[in-house]
Amino acid sequence: MQYNHIVIRFGELSLKGKNRRHFESQLRETVRRKLSVFPNAVVLKSYDRILVEINGEDHEKMIAKLQEVFGIHAISLAIRTESEIEAIKEAALAAFLENGAAPKTFKVSARRSNKHFPVGSMELNRQVGGYILTHTENVSVNVHHPDVEVKVEVKDNGTFISCQTYPGAGGLPIGVGGKAMLMLSGGIDSPVAGYLTMKRGVRIEAVHFHSPPFTSDRAKQKAEDLMQELTRFGGKMKLHVVHFTKIQQIIKDKIPASYSMTIMRRMMLRITERLAEERNAMAITNGENLGQVASQTMYSMHTINEVTNIPIIRPVVTMDKLEIIDISQKIGTYDISIRPYEDCCTIFVPAAPKTKPKREKANRFEQNIDNMEELIEEALSTIETISFEEQKEAKEFEDLF
């Protein structure tokens, strides 16, 4: 007897009351998309679970895909059997023996959502546990710290038995939290900010500020590669590339050097806010980290924030750099982010940028730019939008051979 199903367990979704059906629907849609590369897999709806029929597909690759889906708390390999006590005992023993770790202790945890099943949960624990003890050697029960937990779930459509459980990504399903515009620089922090924003159910589009010839096509390509990596978690996504050269040169010419970084960030926010309105996004998210650079002091954030009323999500604002790096390595963006191609934030950098800029001075210096609205409109009208979709990986290429 082999594992024939995957049981997907929810996390916070169970707390969502009247919104729960919508959240579960979004999660099932994402699960179907992620598993579309496994043509024989069948995704089924079940109360408080999603069930997947494996049908001979590679279950390890399926689980790896599912671990990238937000909204999933845990994933278990399961044997489905008929809801008859002898069949359950045999399947439980098979699942226990399939666990290749040679466990010395175990416990049985039975759950009976099918109330027509004649055996109660406690009695089921006793009977299944006794059967395993009778048919194995040198194994004992430990209800507090078992090597293996044999989970038995008696449902209307059969009984599912699992001994192997894998952690999910947690969070909320993509799409239930609205849309935000991610300011994607190409560094380490902003992709992590995008990932963490998506983890709370928010769909993202990204904006990247590009300043050729001062920034190279490789810097733009880096942003595109980061977006491609983030599609593993967010599905279809868009990157809006803003041609920012003219605005940066005007800032360099007309703004005192110590305030150039502050004014540049204010211009970026204005453009991103306008783009967010056009794209029906309700927030901006970025990788700002308190105290990391001159534009990310509390004073700078206060002055830069003045130009927008749209909410700004800063998921990494209080993290240590090593914490951010750790996440970027886990989600696969780190090696892309450290490529040595400068983005527009690193050109024309003043020798001594203000770390405590004042709003009054920023407003006064911005009056040196006569045609600010015209510049913003021009930047918006020349945006290049690139669409991304999750790659279906090696399976498609294998099929070609």
Side-chain angles (χ1 to χ4, degrees):
M1 195 175 292
Q2 292 184 328
Y3 288 111
N4 49 27
H5 280 70
I6 292 173
V7 178
I8 297 173
R9 295 183 170 83
F10 309 148
E12 294 180 50
L13 270 65
S14 57
L15 306 174
K16 295 304 176 186
K18 293 180 179 177
N19 292 321
R20 176 172 171 160
R21 184 174 296 180
H22 169 59
F23 282 34
E24 289 182 4
S25 173
Q26 289 287 326
L27 181 57
R28 274 196 304 278
E29 184 181 320
T30 306
V31 168
R32 285 197 175 98
R33 175 178 58 78
K34 292 292 286 188
L35 297 183
S36 62
V37 292
F38 304 98
N40 296 320
V42 178
V43 179
L44 303 171
K45 179 183 177 183
S46 176
Y47 180 75
D48 75 1
R49 300 280 190 273
I50 292 175
L51 303 174
V52 182
E53 292 179 359
I54 297 174
N55 291 329
E57 296 286 359
D58 187 328
H59 61 76
E60 291 185 357
K61 289 184 178 178
M62 292 172 74
I63 288 171
K65 284 279 187 186
L66 291 170
Q67 286 182 305
E68 296 172 348
V69 177
F70 296 128
I72 294 178
H73 170 67
I75 305 155
S76 297
L77 273 173
I79 295 175
R80 180 195 174 279
T81 188
E82 298 300 319
S83 293
E84 297 171 357
I85 187 64
E86 291 305 318
I88 292 172
K89 289 178 183 176
E90 291 175 10
L93 177 63
F96 181 74
L97 295 176
E98 279 271 328
N99 193 71
K104 297 296 183 186
T105 61
F106 74 99
K107 79 170 184 179
V108 179
S109 301
R111 243 180 104 181
R112 189 179 56 117
S113 59
N114 178 2
K115 299 304 179 188
H116 298 293
F117 187 71
V119 182
S121 298
M122 293 300 291
E123 177 61 17
L124 196 54
N125 286 342
R126 193 186 67 76
Q127 290 197 32
V128 172
Y131 190 84
I132 292 174
L133 285 171
T134 303
H135 291 81
T136 53
E137 295 181 353
N138 302 319
V139 173
S140 60
V141 173
N142 183 335
V143 296
H144 299 293
H145 304 289
D147 293 336
V148 172
E149 182 178 3
V150 182
K151 295 178 180 175
V152 179
E153 298 186 53
V154 184
K155 295 181 168 296
D156 292 338
N157 57 344
T159 296
F160 296 83
I161 298 159
S162 58
C163 293
Q164 298 180 35
T165 298
Y166 305 82
L172 297 171
I174 284 286
V176 303
K179 188 199 288 184
M181 197 63 63
L182 169 67
M183 299 177 75
L184 185 70
S185 67
I188 295 171
D189 301 345
S190 54
V192 172
Y195 168 83
L196 293 174
T197 303
M198 288 191 288
K199 186 174 181 178
R200 300 311 301 166
V202 178
R203 198 174 292 285
I204 62 169
E205 295 188 15
V207 55
H208 176 72
F209 292 87
H210 185 46
S211 295
F214 305 105
T215 57
S216 68
D217 283 344
R218 289 182 175 182
K220 180 184 162 196
Q221 183 62 49
K222 187 163 78 163
E224 293 178 23
D225 291 346
L226 287 169
M227 284 299 290
Q228 186 62 63
E229 199 64 28
L230 290 175
T231 60
R232 288 170 44 215
F233 309 98
K236 292 181 179 178
M237 304 171 82
K238 290 184 186 297
L239 172 67
H240 307 280
V241 180
V242 177
H243 296 277
F244 202 53
T245 310
K246 186 175 180 180
I247 292 177
Q248 276 199 285
Q249 286 179 313
I250 289 174
I251 290 172
K252 179 177 180 293
D253 292 340
K254 297 194 173 185
I255 302 295
S258 61
Y259 267 74
S260 61
M261 181 67 72
T262 304
I263 305 303
M264 184 189 74
R265 296 293 297 180
R266 284 163 65 103
M267 290 296 283
M268 286 177 167
L269 262 190
R270 289 184 174 105
I271 292 170
T272 305
E273 182 186 57
R274 295 278 286 274
L275 190 57
E277 289 170 358
E278 288 181 11
R279 302 296 305 168
N280 296 317
M282 294 180 287
I284 293 171
T285 185
N286 63 33
E288 287 181 335
N289 180 257
L290 193 57
Q292 188 176 112
V293 294
S295 66
Q296 296 174 16
T297 64
M298 189 74 81
Y299 300 92
S300 288
M301 289 182 185
H302 179 258
T303 299
I304 293 168
N305 249 46
E306 185 188 18
V307 301
T308 182
N309 290 317
I310 196 170
I312 298 180
I313 303 169
R314 298 179 172 93
V316 303
V317 71
T318 61
M319 288 185 181
D320 289 340
K321 193 68 179 181
L322 291 178
E323 293 177 276
I324 301 171
I325 289 173
D326 184 50
I327 295 173
S328 73
Q329 289 173 330
K330 286 177 181 172
I331 65 176
T333 57
Y334 180 75
D335 288 340
I336 302 171
S337 292
I338 61 172
R339 292 176 191 167
Y341 311 125
E342 293 186 335
D343 58 54
C344 71
C345 295
T346 58
I347 61 176
F348 305 140
V349 177
K354 277 283 181 188
T355 56
K356 296 181 179 180
K358 298 183 183 303
R359 287 184 171 186
E360 312 84 68
K361 286 191 175 181
N363 282 305
R364 177 151 45 89
F365 293 145
E366 279 181 344
Q367 290 176 9
N368 296 340
I369 304 174
D370 300 327
N371 56 342
M372 182 183 295
E373 182 59 27
E374 185 182 318
L375 289 169
I376 292 172
E377 285 295 333
E378 184 179 338
L380 287 167
S381 66
T382 57
I383 281 177
E384 175 189 0
T385 298
I386 307 167
S387 298
F388 296 86
E389 191 169 351
E390 182 178 6
Q391 293 176 343
K392 295 189 177 178
E393 298 179 355
K395 192 172 182 64
E396 286 190 346
F397 294 99
E398 287 169 5
D399 292 342
L400 295 176
F401 297 95

